[in-house]
Amino acid sequence: MKKKLSIMLLMAVTVLLPVMAQQVQVTSVSRMLDGFPTVQGGFYPVLNPSGDHLLFQTDGAGMKMYDMASGQVTTITMEYVAGNDACWGGDGKVYFVTQQAWDDKLVYRSGMCYDPATDQTTVVTEPQHGAVRAISATRGAVMKGPGRDFKSSGNIGSAAWTEGNRVHVLVGTEERVFSPVDSWAGYLWASLSPDGKRVAFFAAGKGVVIIDLRGQMLAMLGNYEMPCWYNNDYLVAQNAKDDGHQFTSSQIVLLKADGTWRAELTQPESMTMHPTCGGGKIVYTTIDGLLHEMKINIYD
């Protein structure tokens, strides 16, 4: 019996050692746009995959683009952009949703596309009442709404999005729909891993879930919000707490995609939130709209 117990303990230690040895080092943190007094706040940041351009919204709800190489800030729109309804398409263009309240007191939303190469914005879905969402795809993007949907091209590649308590995964021309976990309030924030082999999403009451392209659950990472892929093996997410009325703490955490390890990148009292990743960089903001860029080193 003692021998059997010793073998079991040895096996447990053997499994745990690699997890315990995992470490992350924050190599740099820098305040962004500190020299731009005309930029009033930076919220809902979105890095492009190469990490050299950043979308962000301002206090006035308009959206700007920051070229991190040249230091130039471009105003994309001064209209109200619904939070989180902006993304980089796989074609390098920006897709976003604006909304306006019309005289009939209803809110109407329009799908928009901005091309950084030409500095031109076009309307891709006419104003419609109801939710309209911009969804990134590997070759472009799609707009989903109560009326006519929009696709940037005939073949937009792969994509992932949520509707209610279902996650949709587009692989080629095949759309797959899964509900791998029960959730009292549905799913949010679906995204493909950089290699396109897995999907991460948030299930209310359950946290961050990882599935493969067939809907098979691979891991549950904990009750964190707004997950984004740092690379194929790690994600960055927000860990926020509230008292039912306002945030009491919020921090940025690093999560291993297999669910075996996590690390704090900022402290709970920092009130840091809305993480985004690209090109080996992490960008996040604070509750009062101060954008920061972070770089890390992960090692065993």
Side-chain angles (χ1 to χ4, degrees):
M1 181 65 183
K2 290 183 178 180
K3 183 178 181 182
K4 183 177 180 181
L5 180 60
S6 299
I7 292 173
M8 291 175 65
L9 288 172
L10 180 59
M11 290 174 63
V13 171
T14 304
V15 172
L16 288 173
L17 275 177
V19 178
M20 294 169 63
Q22 197 80 56
Q23 297 183 60
V24 59
Q25 178 187 17
V26 176
T27 58
S28 68
V29 177
S30 57
R31 168 85 181 277
M32 303 179 70
L33 299 171
D34 196 22
F36 291 81
T38 59
V39 175
Q40 300 299 314
F43 303 93
Y44 300 107
V46 185
L47 275 170
N48 66 342
S50 57
D52 54 14
H53 286 77
L54 178 74
L55 305 176
F56 65 95
Q57 296 178 39
T58 64
D59 278 340
M63 186 168 66
K64 299 180 183 292
M65 179 182 71
Y66 177 43
D67 185 329
M68 299 171 73
S70 69
Q72 181 179 358
V73 175
T74 301
T75 298
I76 295 178
T77 182
M78 292 301 294
E79 294 188 65
Y80 182 86
V81 178
N84 269 9
D85 277 332
C87 68
W88 291 93
D91 53 6
K93 298 178 182 179
V94 178
Y95 295 86
F96 60 101
V97 178
T98 61
Q99 69 179 47
Q100 312 86 27
W102 287 13
D103 292 339
D104 59 7
K105 308 301 181 182
L106 297 178
V107 173
Y108 290 82
R109 297 176 177 86
S110 303
M112 314 292 288
C113 174
Y114 171 76
D115 187 351
T118 62
D119 194 30
Q120 297 296 312
T121 299
T122 56
V123 179
V124 296
T125 63
E126 295 299 327
Q128 52 189 304
H129 177 56
V132 179
R133 300 175 58 203
I135 299 163
S136 180
T138 56
R139 296 184 181 180
V142 61
M143 290 281 184
K144 290 285 185 178
R148 183 177 63 87
D149 292 341
F150 164 82
K151 291 174 64 176
S152 59
S153 65
N155 182 4
I156 61 170
S158 301
W161 68 94
T162 62
E163 293 180 10
N165 63 346
R166 298 175 297 173
V167 57
H168 296 245
V169 181
L170 182 66
V171 181
T173 59
E174 181 186 2
E175 183 176 329
R176 306 168 184 175
V177 184
F178 310 112
S179 295
V181 295
D182 292 331
S183 176
W184 60 272
Y187 302 165
L188 290 170
W189 305 310
S191 62
L192 284 169
S193 59
D195 61 9
K197 296 180 179 180
R198 287 164 295 168
V199 175
F201 66 94
F202 171 83
K206 299 294 177 65
V208 179
V209 181
I210 308 294
I211 61 172
D212 64 16
L213 302 187
R214 293 292 177 183
Q216 181 69 37
M217 190 189 306
L218 302 177
M220 298 186 70
L221 309 188
N223 196 19
Y224 307 106
E225 307 90 30
M226 304 186 73
C228 58
W229 292 91
Y230 176 75
N231 57 25
N232 288 319
D233 299 315
Y234 294 90
L235 296 95
V236 176
Q238 168 185 294
N239 180 27
K241 308 297 181 185
D242 64 80
D243 59 9
H245 302 283
Q246 61 185 5
F247 288 113
T248 56
S249 69
S250 188
Q251 67 181 142
I252 308 301
V253 295
L254 181 69
L255 309 171
K256 197 165 185 179
D258 62 5
T260 61
W261 181 82
R262 65 177 291 274
E264 297 181 347
L265 297 180
T266 63
Q267 295 302 308
E269 61 272 17
S270 66
M271 301 301 283
T272 47
M273 51 188 58
H274 305 162
T276 179
C277 303
K281 302 172 183 176
I282 301 167
V283 171
Y284 56 86
T285 190
T286 63
I287 197 169
D288 48 359
L290 302 181
L291 289 163
H292 293 78
E293 177 187 339
M294 174 185 286
K295 294 182 180 178
I296 62 175
N297 182 29
I298 304 168
Y299 54 96
D300 293 333

